[in-house]
């Protein structure tokens, strides 16, 4: 009886020592095998506590991973505890790097300000020199894709934003070798190079947030054209370099009538050009002073929007000069007609004079 009691006491003592230390200790490799599914469950019986595996070398713990019961996150930590959120996964599968994710599917928290170019949050390294590294954005069930692609090699440093439906269409290109930017231009030749793919599409459009009006610019066959709300207003002629304006037809009841003929000539005669220039370049320029024009006729100047600065209304001046020329031409035509009538009368008077002279001669 005493012998049985000693054996039982020895077993209980051994179990108590085993429970006080590690329940399971193994040296070497371990294998869990089962003819069906093979499971290893690590569960803590306490609420808000951790269940984890820890690994390391040189007889010390270096990393751990498992479930953090305090934050309800699965954590991979390069530490002996789950307090370092090097990689985290939420219960609904969101990923966090260096911190738990918020509303994003994946969050990377990092300070990238160190170093000359900083340490990147994410590095994409293309495994060849021929093709670019890529980001692709798409919708499930659609063949269309947005692409961000970039090559970072000397002589072909290009960063591109493209859209594809089987064929890439480069929309925006940055040239890292020349520091150029291209829009629809894969090889830009200037700091901003815009390629207009279709003549009826604006190359540049500008709108004011306070109004629906739109100014735009496009290239015709060759000329540069300016539009206001899709109506042409002007353009530079490629052959002559001249600027041609195309004002809209005015309403029948609008507009300021030009002055009478004698007033037109008087106004034109008052317009004086100023000579300005740079003697070092031996070059002079003729300009008109809008303040002088304002005194001659207020319609000959224009006012900049939201600014008191005066400008020259060259369209109005051109009409004034044309009307003055027409008026002068009318006077010239009238004078020519008068000269013709006077010449005829002069010939008639000469003929009468000769006839009288001949008659007087016969009287003697």
């Amino acid at each position: 009886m005493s012998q049985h009691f000693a054996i039982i006491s020895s077993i209980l003592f051994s179990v108590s020592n085993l429970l006080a230390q590690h329940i399971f200790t193994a040296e070497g490799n371990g294998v869990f095998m089962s003819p069906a599914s093979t499971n290893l469950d690590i569960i803590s019986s306490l609420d808000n506590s951790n269940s984890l595996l820890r690994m390391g070398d040189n007889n010390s713990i270096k990393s751990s991973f498992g479930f953090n019961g305090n934050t309800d996150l699965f954590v991979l930590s390069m530490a002996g505890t789950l307090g370092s959120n090097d990689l985290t996964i939420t219960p609904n599968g969101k990923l966090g790097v260096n911190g738990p994710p918020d509303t994003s599917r994946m969050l990377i928290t990092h300070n990238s300000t160190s170093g000359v170019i900083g340490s990147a949050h994410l590095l994409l390294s293309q495994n060849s020199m021929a093709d670019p590294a890529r980001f692709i954005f798409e919708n499930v069930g659609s063949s269309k894709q947005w692409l961000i692609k970039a090559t970072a090699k000397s002589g072909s440093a290009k960063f591109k934003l493209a859209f594809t439906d089987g064929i890439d269409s480069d929309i925006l290109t940055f040239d890292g070798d020349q520091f150029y930017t291209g829009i629809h231009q894969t090889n830009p030749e200037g700091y901003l190079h815009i390629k207009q793919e279709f003549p009826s599409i604006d190359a540049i459009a500008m709108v004011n947030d306070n109004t629906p009006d739109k100014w735009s610019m496009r290239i015709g066959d060759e000329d540069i054209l300016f539009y206001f709300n899709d109506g042409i207003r002007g353009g530079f002629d490629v052959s002559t370099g001249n600027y041609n304006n195309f004002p809209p037809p005015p309403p029948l009841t609008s507009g300021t009538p030009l002055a009478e003929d004698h007033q037109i000539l008087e106004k034109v005669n008052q317009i004086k050009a100023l000579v300005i220039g740079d003697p070092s370049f031996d070059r002079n320029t003729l300009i008109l002073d809008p303040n002088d024009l304002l005194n001659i006729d207020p319609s000959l100047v224009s006012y900049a929007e939201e600014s008191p600065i005066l400008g020259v209304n060259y369209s109005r001046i051109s009409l004034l000069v044309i009307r003055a020329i027409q008026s002068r031409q009318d006077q010239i035509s009238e004078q020519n007609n008068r000269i013709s009538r006077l010449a005829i009368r002069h010939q008639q008077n000469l003929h009468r004079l000769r006839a009288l002279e001949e008659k007087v001669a016969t009287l003697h």
Side-chain angles (χ1 to χ4, degrees):
M1 181 69 179
S2 60
Q3 184 179 4
H4 292 165
F5 179 77
I7 295 173
I8 293 174
S9 299
S10 177
I11 293 174
L12 292 175
F13 179 76
S14 299
V15 171
S16 64
N17 287 338
L18 182 63
L19 292 174
Q21 300 297 321
H22 300 287
I23 297 177
F24 175 78
T25 301
E27 293 186 7
N29 299 325
V31 178
F32 292 87
M33 298 183 64
S34 172
S37 60
T38 304
N39 300 325
L40 176 61
D41 296 334
I42 303 176
I43 300 175
S44 174
S45 61
L46 296 177
D47 189 20
N48 297 330
S49 59
N50 301 337
S51 55
L52 66 152
L53 289 177
R54 299 190 294 179
M55 292 154 283
D57 65 356
N58 198 24
N59 203 29
S60 63
I61 299 298
K62 300 296 180 64
S63 64
S64 58
F65 69 91
F67 183 77
N68 189 324
N70 295 303
T71 59
D72 288 340
L73 296 174
F74 182 85
V75 179
L76 193 155
S77 170
M78 295 304 296
T81 68
L82 299 182
S84 177
N85 294 320
D86 298 318
L87 177 64
T88 60
I89 305 176
T90 66
N92 55 2
K94 295 180 180 179
L95 300 178
V97 178
N98 207 29
D102 189 7
T103 58
S104 303
R105 198 64 191 174
M106 182 174 184
L107 171 68
I108 300 177
T109 302
H110 173 55
N111 181 6
S112 65
T113 60
S114 59
V116 178
I117 60 174
S119 55
H121 283 67
L122 183 65
L123 173 63
L124 300 183
S125 182
Q126 172 66 17
N127 195 24
S128 73
M129 292 294 288
D131 298 315
R134 301 170 186 261
F135 263 124
I136 297 179
F137 306 84
E138 65 180 11
N139 288 81
V140 175
S142 174
S143 61
K144 298 177 175 61
Q145 294 178 330
W146 281 98
L147 291 84
I148 296 177
K149 50 185 179 177
T151 55
K153 60 180 181 179
S154 180
S156 183
K158 299 290 181 63
F159 183 93
K160 298 182 179 182
L161 176 65
F163 183 77
T164 179
D165 189 6
I167 300 176
D168 284 2
S169 176
D170 293 335
I171 298 175
L172 187 63
T173 300
F174 296 98
D175 188 320
D177 296 307
Q178 303 294 333
F179 303 104
Y180 291 165
T181 300
I183 299 177
H184 290 295
Q185 178 65 34
T186 57
N187 295 300
E189 300 175 10
Y191 290 117
L192 179 61
H193 189 164
I194 302 175
K195 179 181 178 182
Q196 181 180 301
E197 295 190 332
F198 304 101
S200 60
I201 304 298
D202 294 332
I204 297 177
M206 295 172 286
V207 297
N208 189 329
D209 187 51
N210 298 323
T211 67
D213 295 327
K214 177 185 71 173
W215 275 100
S216 58
M217 185 178 72
R218 68 182 71 162
I219 300 175
D221 291 336
E222 294 176 321
D223 300 341
I224 297 179
L225 306 175
F226 297 92
Y227 288 79
F228 180 73
N229 291 338
D230 297 323
I232 189 168
R233 290 296 180 269
F236 289 97
D237 189 287
V238 67
S239 301
T240 63
N242 294 334
Y243 176 79
N244 302 315
N245 69 310
F246 304 96
L252 296 177
T253 59
S254 68
T256 303
L258 287 173
E260 298 296 330
D261 290 353
H262 68 280
Q263 293 178 328
I264 291 176
L265 294 174
E266 181 181 347
K267 292 178 186 296
V268 171
N269 289 331
Q270 293 180 58
I271 297 176
K272 305 297 181 183
L274 301 178
V275 180
I276 61 173
D278 188 343
S280 61
F281 289 97
D282 192 21
R283 183 170 63 201
N284 294 323
T285 302
L286 294 176
I287 66 168
L288 298 177
D289 186 349
N291 293 301
D292 289 342
L293 296 176
L294 180 63
N295 295 327
I296 297 172
D297 188 337
S299 69
L300 300 181
V301 300
S302 58
Y303 293 86
E305 289 187 9
E306 303 177 1
S307 172
I309 299 176
L310 283 177
V312 178
N313 189 340
Y314 286 102
S315 298
R316 186 75 177 182
I317 291 176
S318 298
L319 292 174
L320 190 69
V321 171
I322 291 173
R323 189 68 188 90
I325 294 173
Q326 291 174 338
S327 175
R328 180 66 71 182
Q329 186 61 45
D330 293 341
Q331 293 180 5
I332 293 173
S333 299
E334 183 180 348
Q335 292 295 331
N336 287 334
N337 292 333
R338 184 180 179 187
I339 291 171
S340 297
R341 292 194 301 270
L342 291 175
I344 294 173
R345 187 177 298 176
H346 178 67
Q347 291 297 328
Q348 291 174 346
N349 290 335
L350 286 177
H351 181 71
R352 291 173 182 173
L353 179 60
R354 291 192 188 98
L356 289 174
E357 288 176 346
E358 291 175 355
K359 188 175 183 178
V360 170
T362 58
L363 295 176
H364 293 287

